[in-house]
Amino acid sequence: MTLWLAIPVSILLVAGGLFSVLAALGILRLPDFYTRMHAASKAGTIGSGLVLIAAGLGSQDPAILIRALAGFVFFILTAPVSAHLLARAAHLSRVPLAKISVRDDYARKQNEDRLK
Amino acid sequence: MTRLIVLLLFTLTWVAVTGSFTLLNLAFGLVLSGLALFLIRENVQPSRIAVRPFKVLSLVILFFKELALSAFKVAVLVVRPKMDLKPGILEFPLKVDRDFEITLLANLITLTPGTLSVDVSDDRRFLYVHALDCADPAATIRDIADGFEAKILEAFR
């Protein structure tokens, strides 16, 4: 591997690893389930995406690069769907929002629906 | 005609993902794609969606910019010793009304800074969005409406 390939590959790898660590830290530190989903869905997607692209570039094989890019695309397609379904399922089973939350239009709407 | 294009796209994807460009693999991919499309035939109706390629491209570019920004913001937020959060769920009035547009908008919202779609109302008029900073819901709603929603309306109408 030449230096000109090694540098971007290592930058991508370190950046991807950093985002994954920060996503994990976010899951630990954020106050409730919903805010944790933010860390998992965004920083997690970018982290794994960067590592995949680094692996694809580092292999120096177009077939592997295409597969790595396809993996990234599938991450982008599936991460928001799973985050949405988990958040919805949590809210429907009454997982409370953190105390510091300022509003909840979704709960208000469900109450209105129940009164109808 | 559209079905044929979708079939060819599926086959190409299969060949790309398996990474072997032989005639045999191409034929196998064609059979698999045909089978897959046969299984979901009830759910894919021939649609009359106008697609503007350049507007779609501009939407894709905006998306990747926002995704990078979003990951960066979350990263900065979680390393701060004192996290300044005002989370909440707000109600976003939808202008787009077709199912695929709502799906696209909801997914884009989830991957952008500080917002996460939770649910869509049964009458498809409102999207419920969890925001990390819900101090000024009107501003968040305006951002989404002028950003992604406007771009989606431009790209597919």
Side-chain angles (χ1 to χ4, degrees):
Chain A
M1 198 188 292
T2 61
L3 191 65
W4 292 114
L5 185 62
I7 291 173
V9 167
S10 24
I11 291 175
L12 285 173
L13 270 180
V14 172
L18 206 63
F19 273 118
S20 305
V21 168
L22 290 174
L25 190 67
I27 291 174
L28 268 177
R29 286 198 64 205
L30 287 164
D32 67 353
F33 179 81
Y34 305 94
T35 48
R36 281 177 191 154
M37 288 310 300
H38 283 270
S41 63
K42 288 169 238 258
T45 306
I46 281 285
S48 43
L50 290 178
V51 172
L52 270 173
I53 293 173
L57 284 177
S59 69
Q60 289 171 292
D61 178 351
I64 295 180
L65 180 62
I66 289 174
R67 264 179 273 181
L69 288 178
F72 187 33
V73 171
F74 284 128
F75 251 113
I76 290 179
L77 289 178
T78 53
V81 177
S82 54
H84 146 69
L85 280 176
L86 283 170
R88 182 172 182 271
H91 206 287
L92 291 179
S93 48
R94 315 253 166 91
V95 174
L97 273 76
K99 290 246 161 40
I100 49 170
S101 299
V102 288
R103 62 190 286 146
D104 189 352
D105 286 345
Y106 191 44
R108 181 179 55 73
K109 174 234 166 200
Q110 283 172 329
N111 284 332
E112 282 168 10
D113 286 355
R114 216 168 289 134
L115 290 174
K116 257 178 225 164
Chain B
M1 190 59 209
T2 333
R3 296 223 172 137
L4 197 68
I5 295 173
V6 174
L7 187 69
L8 288 179
L9 272 176
F10 269 44
T11 311
L12 270 181
T13 313
W14 170 261
V15 171
V17 168
T18 50
S20 109
F21 290 85
T22 59
L23 199 64
L24 194 66
N25 195 33
L26 206 71
F28 185 48
L30 202 66
V31 171
L32 274 185
S33 316
L35 258 170
L37 285 178
F38 178 71
L39 280 177
I40 58 164
R41 65 195 179 283
E42 304 272 307
N43 304 7
V44 276
Q45 265 91 40
S47 55
R48 300 266 172 278
I49 299 164
V51 179
R52 289 168 222 281
F54 288 107
K55 302 280 186 187
V56 172
L57 192 69
S58 125
L59 181 67
V60 170
I61 292 171
L62 177 73
F63 166 71
F64 276 104
K65 198 193 98 198
E66 294 278 311
L67 177 61
L69 205 70
S70 151
F72 190 70
K73 269 195 182 168
V74 172
V76 169
L77 178 79
V78 298
V79 290
R80 276 208 197 121
K82 195 177 178 312
M83 290 185 291
D84 183 24
L85 288 173
K86 288 192 179 61
I89 297 181
L90 55 87
E91 192 176 61
F92 177 78
L94 285 165
K95 268 203 262 352
V96 293
D97 51 7
R98 287 181 290 184
D99 278 356
F100 97 94
E101 289 172 333
I102 298 175
T103 312
L104 186 62
L105 182 67
N107 281 5
L108 292 179
I109 286 174
T110 296
L111 287 175
T112 53
T115 50
L116 185 109
S117 346
V118 178
D119 202 3
V120 61
S121 66
D122 294 333
D123 55 7
R124 289 177 168 60
R125 281 175 55 226
F126 297 103
L127 201 61
Y128 293 90
V129 177
H130 185 273
L132 282 181
D133 182 8
C134 210
D136 187 1
T140 312
I141 289 173
R142 207 178 327 113
D143 280 349
I144 299 172
D146 293 346
F148 282 127
E149 196 175 36
K151 291 258 183 196
I152 289 177
L153 286 173
E154 276 176 14
F156 298 105
R157 289 286 165 100

